[in-house]
Amino acid sequence: MRTAPPTAPRARTSRWRRDRFLLLLSLPGLLVIVLFHYVPMLGNVIAFKDYRPYLTIWEAPWVGLENFRVLFDGDPAFLNALTNTLVISLVQIVFVFPVPIALALLLNSLAGERVKRVVQSVLYLPHFMSWVVVVAIFQHMLGNAGLLNNFLRSHDLATVPLLGNPDLFLALITSQVIWKDAGWGTIIFLAALSRVDAQLYEASAIDGASKTRQLWHVTLPSIRGVIVLMLILKLGDVLTVGFEQIILQQKMVGTEVSEVLDTYVYSHGVVDGNWGVAAAVGLVKGLVGMVLVFGANKVAHLLGEKGLYSK
C-alpha cells in the first residue's frame, strides 16, 4: 500500500530540522546585517528634521521638506556636484566596467596555470591598498616632483602638470580606479568562465569557428547573465563615485571639477553642521539607486535575463 506524501507543514518542519545547524551558523551574519544596515536606516528621519548633535533624533524639531530645498531650488553647488557625479559615473561605466571582463577573458586564455596564478596575484594586489597609498603612488609617479617630470627635466624637456590639471582630473581618477580595482573585479567573471561547457568550444571548432567567433558566439553569451547582474549592481552605486579617492585630490584641482555628491554631503553637511541636508542628499541617493536597480532588473527580464532575481 502506497504511503501518502507528507503534508506541506510537516515537510517544512522537516526542512527546518534538517537545516537547523546551517541556520544557526548564518544567524551571526544576519544579526550583523540587521544591526548595522537596517536599524541605522531609521536615522533617515534626520532628513526631515533640524538635527543638532546635542539633541536626540526624536528631540530635533520637525522641518518637513526644508532640507530638500537644495534639490528643489537648484542650489548651484549641489547642481555642480550632481553634474560631476553623473559624468564620472557614466565614464566609469563605459570605460571601467568592461576592463575586468576583458582581463578575465585574457587570463582565461592563458595556457599555463602557474603563469595565470602569478598574473592574477599581481592584478589583485592593488585592491588591498588604501586610497591614501594609491594616490601617493600616483603623486610620486606623475606629480610635479614625480618620476615622470624628473625624467623630463633631466632630458631638458617641458614638464607635464598631470595631477594639478583640472582638464585631466576625470582621466586621472578613471585610470586610478582601473589600476586599483580592475584586477579584483575579474574574480566573478573568471568563475563564470570556468563554468562554460568545453564541448561548446569543441563543437564550434569542428564547425570551423575561429577564436574570435568562439569568443563572440560561445564565451560572451555564456557569461551574459553575470555581466547583466554586475551591471545592475553597478547602477545601484551610480551616484557613489569614491569619497576617499576624490577628497584626497580635491585641493589640487578645485571643487569645480572634483565636487561630487559624497564630498558635497561632507563639506556642506557635516563640516558646516547641516546634518539634515546631508541626510536628505544621502536619502535621495539611496532612493535613486534603488529605482535604477529595480528598473534595470525589469529591463533584464524583458531581455530574457534573470537579473538580480527571477520573476
Side-chain angles (χ1 to χ4, degrees), residues 243-263:
F243 170 77
E244 294 180 17
Q245 177 194 13
I246 293 178
I247 200 70
L248 289 168
Q249 305 174 89
Q250 197 169 61
K251 290 184 178 180
M252 295 188 298
V253 295
T255 58
E256 186 66 27
V257 297
S258 64
E259 187 81 305
V260 294
L261 289 180
D262 288 337
T263 58

Side-chain angles (χ1 to χ4, degrees), residues 135-153 159-165 172 176 249 252:
V135 171
I137 290 175
F138 272 77
Q139 287 177 344
H140 281 84
M141 295 293 294
L142 306 177
N144 187 46
L147 181 64
L148 175 63
N149 282 322
N150 284 335
F151 174 80
L152 295 175
R153 289 192 192 96
T159 59
V160 182
L162 294 176
L163 294 187
N165 191 342
L172 174 66
Q176 289 172 346
Q249 305 174 89
M252 295 188 298

Side-chain angles (χ1 to χ4, degrees), residues 57-107:
I57 294 178
W58 311 116
E59 291 174 344
W62 189 271
V63 295
L65 299 177
E66 183 66 24
N67 293 323
F68 292 85
R69 290 179 65 87
V70 294
L71 284 72
F72 301 145
D73 295 348
D75 177 34
F78 172 77
L79 292 178
N80 177 57
L82 178 61
T83 301
N84 291 336
T85 302
L86 293 176
V87 170
I88 294 173
S89 297
L90 179 61
V91 170
Q92 292 190 359
I93 289 175
V94 174
F95 293 100
V96 177
F97 180 76
V99 174
I101 303 174
L103 282 176
L105 294 173
L106 290 173
L107 287 173

Side-chain angles (χ1 to χ4, degrees), residues 6-59:
T7 60
R10 187 179 302 173
R12 192 178 300 114
T13 303
S14 64
R15 287 198 299 269
W16 278 91
R17 189 173 301 170
R18 181 194 63 194
D19 299 333
R20 62 184 182 278
F21 292 112
L22 293 177
L23 294 172
L24 287 174
L25 286 174
S26 64
L27 187 60
L30 180 62
L31 289 176
V32 168
I33 292 175
V34 171
L35 290 176
F36 294 99
H37 288 81
Y38 286 96
V39 173
M41 290 175 66
L42 298 175
N44 283 323
V45 72
I46 294 175
F48 306 94
K49 292 194 170 192
D50 184 15
Y51 175 74
R52 293 292 180 267
Y54 52 82
L55 299 174
T56 65
I57 294 178
W58 311 116
E59 291 174 344

Side-chain angles (χ1 to χ4, degrees), residues 69-273:
R69 290 179 65 87
V70 294
L71 284 72
F72 301 145
D73 295 348
D75 177 34
F78 172 77
L79 292 178
N80 177 57
L82 178 61
T83 301
N84 291 336
T85 302
L86 293 176
V87 170
I88 294 173
S89 297
L90 179 61
V91 170
Q92 292 190 359
I93 289 175
V94 174
F95 293 100
V96 177
F97 180 76
V99 174
I101 303 174
L103 282 176
L105 294 173
L106 290 173
L107 287 173
N108 190 60
S109 64
L110 292 177
E113 284 296 326
R114 182 175 299 179
V115 175
K116 184 184 297 186
R117 285 197 297 268
V118 171
V119 173
Q120 282 179 295
S121 300
V122 173
L123 291 175
Y124 294 166
L125 181 61
H127 173 77
F128 299 98
M129 299 180 183
S130 68
W131 274 113
V132 176
V133 176
V134 173
V135 171
I137 290 175
F138 272 77
Q139 287 177 344
H140 281 84
M141 295 293 294
L142 306 177
N144 187 46
L147 181 64
L148 175 63
N149 282 322
N150 284 335
F151 174 80
L152 295 175
R153 289 192 192 96
S154 64
H155 290 77
D156 296 327
L157 299 174
T159 59
V160 182
L162 294 176
L163 294 187
N165 191 342
D167 296 330
L168 299 177
F169 180 71
L170 182 58
L172 174 66
I173 61 174
T174 302
S175 61
Q176 289 172 346
V177 172
I178 292 175
W179 184 78
K180 184 178 186 296
D181 291 329
W184 184 255
T186 61
I187 293 177
I188 295 179
F189 297 110
L190 284 171
L193 288 170
S194 66
R195 299 181 59 185
V196 179
D197 192 352
Q199 294 181 356
L200 296 176
Y201 294 107
E202 295 174 1
S204 60
I206 293 174
D207 291 338
S210 61
K211 291 294 184 181
T212 304
R213 287 193 171 274
Q214 288 180 1
L215 171 66
W216 188 255
H217 295 287
V218 177
T219 306
L220 291 179
S222 299
I223 64 172
R224 184 174 57 189
V226 177
I227 294 175
V228 171
L229 174 62
M230 298 306 296
L231 181 58
I232 292 174
L233 294 176
K234 178 65 177 177
L235 290 176
D237 290 333
V238 71
L239 296 182
T240 302
V241 291
F243 170 77
E244 294 180 17
Q245 177 194 13
I246 293 178
I247 200 70
L248 289 168
Q249 305 174 89
Q250 197 169 61
K251 290 184 178 180
M252 295 188 298
V253 295
T255 58
E256 186 66 27
V257 297
S258 64
E259 187 81 305
V260 294
L261 289 180
D262 288 337
T263 58
Y264 176 87
V265 167
Y266 173 73
S267 58
H268 292 77
V270 178
V271 175
D272 294 343

